[in-house]
């Protein structure tokens, strides 16, 4: 794959925009029926762009190939001939796949803690969910960050993933322990913003194999929380 996941994993640290627009609306009137987006579904995918930077196809975590009925152009200017980890919204009827939107998913370049030249920051977050993709290619996290308008407009949340240890057991199995990196970076904690992160199992700093265990730790507001997955 050309430039595979190039915009998602160039660096260990992923900078996230925090100046988000917060809004809400209420209404007591609504309609039911077959609206334009009544049958839109969402899947985690690896999705490809063409030579113009428009999205043209995707492969779901279930291994299903999706060919779009027409190229999808996004406002954030995707790179041409690239593959992105993303959450794809689309509709499907009679094997015709109509893409609606693509939301990129952070893919960290996991590094050993011992190789870092800085301390690991674990400012608290809300850990909403964690699950393994069907083919065990990724461990996916749903994280809520507390955010607000910073005094310095250049301040950003900094998030990533580190590997603290990889333990080899007597039975030949390995156990990799990962930890979520988060630097609040003096951002006020007024609002909540949701992010997804997909950790690629094939790109951990030490190779793991079928039957090995991966434990992910996240410092939540209730303390350090861990969840383990068998690769």
């Amino acid at each position: 794959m050309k430039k595979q996941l190039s915009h998602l994993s160039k660096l260990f640290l992923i900078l996230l925009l925090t100046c988000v627009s917060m809004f809400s609306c209420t209404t007591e009137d609504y309609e039911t029926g077959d609206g334009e987006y009544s049958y839109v579904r969402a899947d985690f995918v690896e999705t490809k762009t063409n030579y113009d930077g428009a999205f043209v196809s995707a492969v779901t975590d279930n291994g299903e190939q999706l060919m779009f009925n027409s190229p999808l152009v996004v406002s954030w200017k995707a790179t041409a001939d690239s593959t992105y980890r993303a959450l794809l919204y689309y509709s499907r009827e009679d094997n015709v796949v109509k893409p609606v939107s693509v939301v990129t998913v952070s893919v960290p370049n996991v590094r050993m803690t011992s190789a870092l030249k800085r301390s690991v920051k674990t400012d608290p977050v809300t850990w909403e969910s964690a699950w393994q993709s069907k083919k065990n290619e990724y461990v996916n996290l749903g994280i809520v960050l507390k955010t607000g308008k910073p005094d310095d407009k250049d301040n950003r949340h900094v998030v990533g993933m580190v590997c603290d240890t990889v333990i080899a057991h007597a039975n030949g199995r390995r156990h990799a322990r990962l930890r979520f990196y988060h630097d609040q970076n003096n951002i006020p904690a007024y609002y909540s913003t949701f992010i997804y992160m997909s950790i690629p199992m094939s790109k951990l700093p030490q190779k793991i194999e079928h039957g090995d265990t991966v434990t992910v730790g996240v410092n939540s507001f209730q303390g350090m929380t861990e969840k383990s997955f068998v690769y």
Side-chain angles (χ1 to χ4, degrees), residues 27-195:
T27 177
E28 295 181 4
D29 299 320
Y30 63 92
E31 290 185 9
T32 59
D34 296 338
E36 181 180 2
Y37 298 114
S38 296
Y39 299 101
V40 168
R41 60 179 292 173
D43 280 317
F44 281 84
V45 300
E46 290 184 357
T47 181
K48 292 185 178 181
T49 58
N50 61 13
Y51 58 89
D52 285 329
F55 288 94
V56 293
S57 65
V59 179
T60 71
D61 281 0
N62 291 332
E64 185 178 11
Q65 300 275 345
L66 303 175
M67 299 300 299
F68 301 165
N69 69 323
S70 61
L72 176 65
V73 178
V74 292
S75 60
W76 43 271
K77 228 173 172 178
T79 302
D81 297 318
S82 297
T83 300
Y84 287 79
R85 177 66 172 168
L87 182 61
L88 172 68
Y89 292 87
Y90 65 101
S91 63
R92 187 171 188 173
E93 185 176 356
D94 296 329
N95 292 322
V96 176
V97 177
K98 299 179 179 180
V100 175
S101 67
V102 169
V103 179
T104 56
V105 174
S106 299
V107 179
N109 181 17
V110 184
R111 297 179 61 187
M112 293 299 299
T113 305
S114 57
L116 300 180
K117 296 180 180 179
R118 68 195 70 181
S119 60
V120 176
K121 294 195 174 183
T122 56
D123 292 332
V125 297
T126 300
W127 190 0
E128 289 286 341
S129 56
W131 72 99
Q132 229 170 349
S133 61
K134 188 170 183 180
K135 293 185 176 181
N136 298 341
E137 294 174 332
Y138 294 98
V139 167
N140 303 298
L141 306 180
I143 299 289
V144 177
L145 304 178
K146 287 295 186 180
T147 191
K149 186 175 181 180
D151 293 332
D152 184 344
K153 65 179 181 180
D154 293 327
N155 279 10
R156 301 288 187 270
H157 284 273
V158 182
V159 302
M161 189 66 61
V162 297
C163 181
D164 288 328
T165 59
V166 179
I167 301 170
H169 295 291
N171 62 1
R173 299 301 185 196
R174 290 186 162 201
H175 186 176
R177 301 189 69 89
L178 311 183
R179 193 159 35 129
F180 184 71
Y181 182 108
H182 176 226
D183 183 357
Q184 185 78 16
N185 205 14
N186 297 317
I187 304 295
Y190 298 142
Y191 312 112
S192 295
T193 185
F194 193 93
I195 66 166

Side-chain angles (χ1 to χ4, degrees), residues 20-33:
V20 296
S21 299
M22 308 302 295
F23 67 93
S24 62
C25 60
T26 58
T27 177
E28 295 181 4
D29 299 320
Y30 63 92
E31 290 185 9
T32 59

